[in-house]
Amino acid sequence: MNGLESLKICAALLVAALCFSVVKRVYSGFDVPMKVSATAVFFGAVLALAAPLFSYISSLISDSELGDWQSLLLGAFGIALASHVTAELCRDCGENSLAGFAELAGKVEILALCLPLVKAILEEVKSLVP
């Protein structure tokens, strides 16, 4: 990686935004499918950019005492990312209430995913208290 990938993605995003503006004026019915398609493409590009980060975090977790919780931590990150992108797409389509529900669903799922961790922490605290 030479550090310019994010700048390339930002430049492509600006070009896409200009294209959306032109298409919205010419044919407004086509702007939402274009935005959804572009979001999927750019989401994939950002995930590809973040792949080394995921592998590094995974190696850090597996080398530490948190190896058992690796899937939980990465799962929570994935849920947060997916719910955020979904919420932004909903906002882009003018559906703010749906965006709120997407964020709420992500938060509830992360909370449910973390319940075994909370239970393990409480059991550890209980074993330390006489």
Side-chain angles (χ1 to χ4, degrees), residues 34-58:
M34 272 183 59
K35 288 178 183 179
V36 171
S37 300
T39 300
V41 168
F42 288 116
F43 186 67
V46 170
L47 283 180
L49 184 65
L53 175 68
F54 293 136
S55 65
Y56 182 71
I57 289 173
S58 179

Side-chain angles (χ1 to χ4, degrees), residues 3-89:
L4 296 178
E5 285 82 8
S6 62
L7 292 177
K8 292 175 187 175
I9 290 172
C10 289
L13 285 167
L14 288 174
V15 170
L18 289 172
C19 290
F20 296 156
S21 177
V22 170
V23 168
K24 189 174 187 175
R25 289 186 185 142
V26 174
Y27 183 63
S28 63
F30 195 63
D31 68 331
V32 172
M34 272 183 59
K35 288 178 183 179
V36 171
S37 300
T39 300
V41 168
F42 288 116
F43 186 67
V46 170
L47 283 180
L49 184 65
L53 175 68
F54 293 136
S55 65
Y56 182 71
I57 289 173
S58 179
S59 69
L60 282 178
I61 291 172
S62 63
D63 291 344
S64 69
E65 296 294 319
L66 298 174
D68 297 339
W69 303 106
Q70 177 180 1
S71 62
L72 182 129
L73 293 171
L74 293 176
F77 179 73
I79 292 166
L81 192 60
S83 63
H84 177 74
V85 169
T86 302
E88 290 302 318
L89 271 173

